[in-house]
Amino acid sequence: MKQKIAFITGINGQDGSYLAEYLVGLGYEVHGTVRRNSTPENQDIRLSEIHLKIHTHYGDLLDQGGLEKLLDQIQPDEIYNLAAQSHVRISFDIPQFTVQTNAIGVLNILEAYRRACPDAKFYQASSSEMFGLSVEEDNFQRETTPMNPVSPYGCSKVFGYNIVRNYRRAYGLHTTNGILFNHESPRRGSNFVTNKVCKTAAQIKLGLQDKLELGNMDSYRDWGHSKDYVRAMHLMLQHDVPGDWVVSTMETHSVREMCKLVFNYLGMDYKNYVTQNPKYLRPEELPYLKGDSTKIRTELGWKPKYTFKEMMEEMTQCWLDSFNKK
Ligand code: NAP
Ligand code: GDD
């Protein structure tokens, strides 16, 4: 059988790196884009375990011609569009760049794909942030929940979601949206709340830091593990019919509960160390997320392997080990 070829934008991000490892493990030839960076060493950090087994190319979602040239050369079977300005708080600081990348960038890669390799299957990294303030009566968000975003990031992702559906219907392309709820790992950027808490709590434990400053501790998130979620992305593209699927753990926890768990793991009480700094509050907050992933569980047989507690402990332990090595 012919070796399958995958193309991943944002391959050096959290999800891109785990997805690349997963697909290499399945026998795929894996290609992906990285952006030009003045310190090229920074780009390999998450790819250190597989960089010799994959092919990286310079590429940017803002450069449609470059994307089309790459897709024309590579002729992938599967395209995973994971690249984005993915930080919600920062999307208020750089709204134009966020919308250019996360909205127009999706249109750019869809057009490149439609012209260069329309027989491929296409995955779009859509987000629970699109639901914003909408919650169903049973306290879940699901595929049919109206979208009511509350950040430039959320608004940009709604455009990406809709244009992917439009290209599916208008041109008969195999384009799929994964509506993923928050997912974390030791590779999560340390300015997202889970990894910020794990990193700072480990520093406090080792006497390297004395306090942790956070924003809103009363928002709720449905937090899963990136490794489980990249399996879901792949499964979605193995389905004959394209569609939209929610991926979530079906549990929700507050930021406060998450802090308690991490500090307890290290034998400390978070109340002695955590303070609020208004600088980390958002102009508009999304207070509550809990995803109903019944559709992907029943139709595609996906379910997560990690529990929330296992994931947070793994992340905290990774920081402890890395500081202890220094
Ligand atoms: P991430 O770690 O921030 O990775 C994003 C990747 O996109 C990085 O490789 C980044 O490169 C690249 N990128 C940024 N702007 C780009 C541009 N203009 N052109 C090309 N590449 C660009 O994010 P992640 O956690 O892996 O998330 C992957 C995708 O899933 C994103 O689209 C995100 O919005 C979406 N998503 C994430 C979650 C979650 O909880 N993690 C949930 C739902 C949806 P640099 O390193 O050079 O910036
Ligand atoms: N980042 C951050 N830093 N968040 C904080 C802090 C802090 O110091 N203090 C409290 N929070 C709260 C935020 O206000 C938010 O309610 C919650 O912690 C989670 O924030 P993030 O970890 O930054 O994630 P997010 O939910 O805004 O966005 C992530 O999930 C989306 C899916 O719902 C990102 O990964 C997005 O790319 C993704 O689409």
Side-chain angles (χ1 to χ4, degrees):
M1 208 171 76
K2 179 184 163 280
Q3 185 183 27
K4 277 196 177 176
I5 303 174
F7 180 81
I8 305 171
T9 66
I11 196 168
N12 57 341
Q14 171 187 250
D15 292 359
S17 62
Y18 282 123
L19 179 64
E21 282 170 19
Y22 184 64
L23 295 177
V24 165
L26 294 177
Y28 279 63
E29 177 180 317
V30 175
H31 295 254
T33 62
V34 295
R35 293 193 295 171
R36 188 264 165 180
N37 186 297
S38 62
T39 315
E41 290 76 10
N42 287 353
Q43 298 183 298
D44 278 347
I45 296 168
R46 293 184 176 112
L47 298 172
S48 56
E49 295 183 17
I50 47 155
H51 79 273
L52 295 175
K53 297 183 180 159
I54 59 173
H55 308 268
T56 53
H57 310 266
Y58 285 111
D60 196 304
L61 286 192
L62 304 181
D63 178 3
Q64 191 197 310
L67 294 170
E68 192 172 329
K69 200 166 78 185
L70 281 176
L71 290 175
D72 197 37
Q73 281 164 6
I74 296 165
Q75 288 296 315
D77 300 290
E78 296 171 14
I79 300 168
Y80 296 87
N81 184 36
L82 307 189
Q85 191 303 90
S86 70
H87 200 287
V88 174
R89 172 68 191 82
I90 295 173
S91 77
F92 288 96
D93 299 332
I94 48 170
Q96 272 91 358
F97 175 77
T98 302
V99 172
Q100 283 292 335
T101 295
N102 300 3
I104 305 302
V106 182
L107 180 59
N108 288 343
I109 188 157
L110 279 172
E111 268 299 297
Y113 149 56
R114 186 166 81 89
R115 290 159 188 249
C117 53
D119 293 334
K121 295 178 177 178
F122 182 95
Y123 173 87
Q124 168 60 16
S126 288
S127 164
S128 49
E129 183 74 18
M130 300 187 303
F131 295 121
L133 298 178
S134 287
V135 189
E136 302 286 351
E137 277 182 5
D138 62 359
N139 294 328
F140 280 97
Q141 289 103 355
R142 55 179 61 84
E143 290 83 1
T144 48
T145 302
M147 292 177 182
N148 190 6
V150 291
S151 61
Y153 173 84
C155 295
S156 69
K157 284 285 181 180
V158 171
F159 176 87
Y161 168 84
N162 280 319
I163 197 76
V164 162
R165 285 164 60 90
N166 172 239
Y167 270 52
R168 184 192 306 159
R169 293 187 301 258
Y171 304 115
L173 296 170
H174 194 295
T175 60
T176 277
N177 281 295
I179 307 174
L180 272 50
F181 282 63
N182 298 48
H183 47 279
E184 321 293 311
S185 74
R187 295 186 193 167
R188 182 60 139 159
S190 59
N191 55 356
F192 292 89
V193 75
T194 51
N195 218 13
K196 177 175 171 180
V197 170
C198 295
K199 178 180 182 182
T200 316
Q203 287 173 317
I204 293 172
K205 179 71 184 174
L206 298 173
L208 304 169
Q209 194 55 270
D210 53 11
K211 65 175 180 184
L212 165 61
E213 291 186 344
L214 291 177
N216 178 16
M217 294 183 70
D218 296 314
S219 54
Y220 283 77
R221 290 292 182 272
D222 178 331
W223 279 297
H225 198 296
S226 174
K227 277 189 178 178
D228 282 332
Y229 287 34
V230 302
R231 276 194 297 110
M233 295 174 191
H234 176 253
L235 262 182
M236 285 180 235
L237 289 202
Q238 306 322 298
H239 198 53
D240 286 342
V241 185
D244 309 307
W245 282 277
V246 159
V247 181
S248 68
T249 68
M250 304 187 68
E251 276 179 30
T252 192
H253 302 273
S254 66
V255 172
R256 193 178 299 281
E257 284 165 29
M258 184 267 293
C259 284
K260 191 173 169 194
L261 193 160
V262 171
F263 278 79
N264 278 355
Y265 176 68
L266 296 171
M268 301 185 291
D269 183 345
Y270 79 96
K271 291 193 194 113
N272 296 330
Y273 305 100
V274 179
T275 57
Q276 192 180 70
N277 184 335
K279 132 172 145 184
Y280 297 113
L281 295 172
R282 296 169 181 197
E284 190 175 5
E285 174 66 285
L286 193 168
Y288 177 91
L289 285 173
K290 184 163 77 156
D292 176 4
S293 45
T294 305
K295 185 178 175 216
I296 192 168
R297 290 172 192 242
T298 51
E299 288 183 359
L300 306 186
W302 175 86
K303 66 174 184 203
K305 293 180 181 162
Y306 275 85
T307 66
F308 174 60
K309 184 164 179 286
E310 284 166 352
M311 175 178 76
M312 295 310 305
E313 292 182 355
E314 179 194 41
M315 291 168 67
T316 310
Q317 192 58 47
C318 269
W319 281 114
L320 268 186
D321 295 345
S322 84
F323 290 128
N324 275 327
K325 262 193 225 146
K326 285 180 184 156

